[in-house]
Amino acid sequence: MALPLVKSALACSDFTRTVQPYIPQLNELPQQLWHSATNPQALKQLYLNTNPLISAFAFSLFLVPIVLVISEVNKNYSQIDRVWSLLPTAYNLHYVAYAHAKGLPTQRLDSLAIISSVWSARLTYNYWRKGGYEIGSEDYRWEVLRKYINPPLFFIFNVFFISLAQS
């Protein structure tokens, strides 16, 4: 089963019950995706059989090298900022889609998706309005940090904080 059976808030917060049993799915997922890539029915079954937290985390890990390489090649560390206003809604929509596909109750999740989409639209519009999507635009804070952190340490900061933690 892809979802743990939980009946209380305390049970929801139990890592050994809600996350740890599903971590092996993360290790198996790339190979399973590779084998299912040309079969839509197999992909759907893989999606349904994988804990949605694990598949969301896998997507986040997929983004890390993309954001990291683009930011290092361009020496512009605001690459994640360009999708940051959209990622929370993307993750929320993933959970909504999973719940619908599994036939789970979705009224609260549907409301969350609507509110989250409106909020993302607002954040994205404001980021665009302030020039965030213009070529070469970069959050001023990265320039300030680069003045105080030597390049090898800033690269580590880019890997673990900018590219990983923010995706």
Side-chain angles (χ1 to χ4, degrees), residues 30-44:
Q31 184 177 8
Q32 290 176 338
L33 279 170
W34 180 257
H35 290 301
S36 303
T38 58
N39 184 342
Q41 190 59 35
L43 281 173
K44 181 180 179 183

Side-chain angles (χ1 to χ4, degrees), residues 57-78:
F57 187 59
F59 177 70
S60 176
L61 292 176
F62 171 78
L63 292 176
V64 171
I66 296 168
V67 170
L68 179 66
V69 168
I70 293 171
S71 69
E72 287 295 328
V73 166
N74 293 311
K75 294 300 179 198
N76 180 327
Y77 300 92
S78 283

Side-chain angles (χ1 to χ4, degrees), residues 23-164:
I23 292 174
Q25 289 181 336
L26 185 62
N27 296 330
E28 300 160 1
L29 195 56
Q31 184 177 8
Q32 290 176 338
L33 279 170
W34 180 257
H35 290 301
S36 303
T38 58
N39 184 342
Q41 190 59 35
L43 281 173
K44 181 180 179 183
Q45 197 56 50
L46 177 60
Y47 182 71
L48 293 174
N49 291 341
T50 305
N51 182 293
L53 179 64
I54 298 300
S55 51
F57 187 59
F59 177 70
S60 176
L61 292 176
F62 171 78
L63 292 176
V64 171
I66 296 168
V67 170
L68 179 66
V69 168
I70 293 171
S71 69
E72 287 295 328
V73 166
N74 293 311
K75 294 300 179 198
N76 180 327
Y77 300 92
S78 283
Q79 304 308 316
I80 195 68
D81 297 343
R82 289 167 171 77
V83 293
W84 193 83
S85 64
L86 302 169
L87 285 176
T89 296
Y91 292 124
N92 288 338
L93 292 174
H94 158 62
Y95 293 124
V96 171
Y98 180 87
H100 277 279
K102 288 292 260 189
L104 299 170
T106 61
Q107 185 177 6
R108 289 180 182 173
L109 287 172
D110 293 340
S111 297
L112 172 73
I114 292 166
I115 292 166
S116 178
S117 296
V118 169
W119 191 255
S120 278
R122 178 196 150 302
L123 288 174
T124 303
Y125 171 73
N126 282 334
Y127 190 68
W128 169 79
R129 186 175 56 89
K130 293 179 180 182
Y133 292 107
E134 291 178 10
I135 294 174
S137 69
E138 183 180 48
D139 187 322
Y140 71 93
R141 293 172 288 193
W142 301 137
E143 185 179 340
V144 170
L145 282 175
R146 281 196 305 269
K147 289 179 183 176
Y148 296 100
I149 302 174
N150 67 40
L153 194 56
F154 192 83
F155 175 77
I156 293 169
F157 179 74
N158 186 16
V159 171
F160 291 103
F161 179 73
I162 299 172
S163 300
L164 178 63

